[in-house]
Amino acid sequence: MKRRNSSGALLAVALCAGALGPVAFAGLGLGTSGGAGASLQPKVKLPQAPPTIPAGTAQLGAAPADQVLNLDVVLAGQDPTGLSQAVAAVSTPGSPEYHHYLTSAQFAAAYGPTAATVAQVSSALRSEGLTVGTPESGSVLLPVSGTAAVVSATFGTPLEQVQPAGASRAVVNTASP
């Protein structure tokens, strides 16, 4: 699922079920109501395919509806172009910024999601029935939890349990979010 705000901006959201592996990748945009009551636009299907399940992976069927999933929602920051340039600068030998890394506070101020974005996305996810935590300072990760049924409905994709050879069980989406 992705939703665009009135300016066409898209807030990236990547979901992972902690140690269980990837659940879904989606985008969540917000309207401009400017407060806890985020105005959301209709869901649209993302063009990318669901994850490819590796050969030898046992497909165990639908994730139990009541299975609680702990997710990290990755929020897009304030200045993705500036962040790309900063990453290139600190990674390029000969650059004056080479190996001059930002602190988490500097990263949050320059490139992290705004407090308004965190509040709006949190409100939107809560309205879908998910439990939303507080991101660590300087982080783009928003901790979220909910049952497989609620996560599946929120992001519009079925969830299945799989077990790769020699690995722990995981939950994956089986259709594009």
Side-chain angles (χ1 to χ4, degrees):
M1 155 187 84
K2 68 180 174 181
R3 297 176 182 166
R4 292 188 184 272
N5 68 16
S6 62
S7 66
L10 178 67
L11 300 174
V13 179
L15 302 179
C16 292
L20 294 178
V23 172
F25 296 97
L28 179 65
L30 299 162
T32 57
S33 66
S39 87
L40 297 176
Q41 296 187 8
K43 296 178 183 179
V44 297
K45 190 173 187 176
L46 290 176
Q48 79 250 22
T52 301
I53 298 175
T57 298
Q59 293 181 276
L60 306 172
D66 62 350
Q67 179 179 356
V68 175
L69 302 175
N70 295 305
L71 314 168
D72 285 321
V73 175
V74 180
L75 301 172
Q78 306 173 57
D79 183 7
T81 302
L83 178 57
S84 293
Q85 293 168 346
V87 168
V90 300
S91 305
T92 304
S95 164
E97 297 302 316
Y98 184 60
H99 283 184
H100 291 221
Y101 303 110
L102 299 176
T103 66
S104 61
Q106 290 170 322
F107 172 84
Y111 306 112
T114 64
T117 295
V118 173
Q120 288 178 333
V121 172
S122 295
S123 176
L125 293 172
R126 281 187 192 102
S127 75
E128 295 282 345
L130 295 168
T131 301
V132 181
T134 303
E136 302 253 346
S137 177
S139 177
V140 297
L141 301 178
L142 183 63
V144 175
S145 64
T147 64
V150 172
V151 170
S152 178
T154 298
F155 294 99
T157 183
L159 301 174
E160 182 176 332
Q161 290 187 83
V162 297
Q163 185 163 10
S168 300
R169 285 185 180 192
V171 174
V172 298
N173 57 303
T174 58
S176 296

